[in-house]
Amino acid sequence: MAQVVLSHWLERLQMTDLTRIVDDPALWAPIHRIAGTLDKALPELFVSDYDQRVEAARQRLRPED
């Protein structure tokens, strides 16, 4: 599920210094809004096997060799 992978990445992004990665401060608010929307829409973010679900979703989304 792409939404889980994106949500996980956005969470990690928000925990960094956004100024190092996103050079336009006008983008910060939309990043936070999108992350918040995904958090509300994805109940799997709050399950005990979250890490395994994220990894499984990543595996499904990666192109095959």
Side-chain angles (χ1 to χ4, degrees):
M1 171 184 272
Q3 297 92 337
V4 172
V5 174
L6 179 59
S7 177
H8 183 75
W9 180 79
L10 285 169
E11 180 67 27
R12 288 182 24 227
L13 177 66
Q14 292 179 94
M15 300 302 264
T16 67
D17 178 6
L18 279 178
T19 60
R20 290 186 359 218
I21 300 167
V22 181
D23 61 352
D24 185 355
L27 295 171
W28 300 347
I31 287 170
H32 293 302
R33 281 193 203 113
I34 292 167
T37 300
L38 284 172
D39 285 352
K40 291 176 189 171
L42 297 171
E44 50 269 27
L45 297 179
F46 306 102
V47 295
S48 61
D49 63 342
Y50 169 75
D51 291 332
Q52 292 83 4
R53 289 183 188 217
V54 170
E55 187 53 36
R58 283 183 178 144
Q59 291 298 323
R60 286 191 301 271
L61 291 169
R62 286 186 180 121
E64 294 183 21
D65 293 334

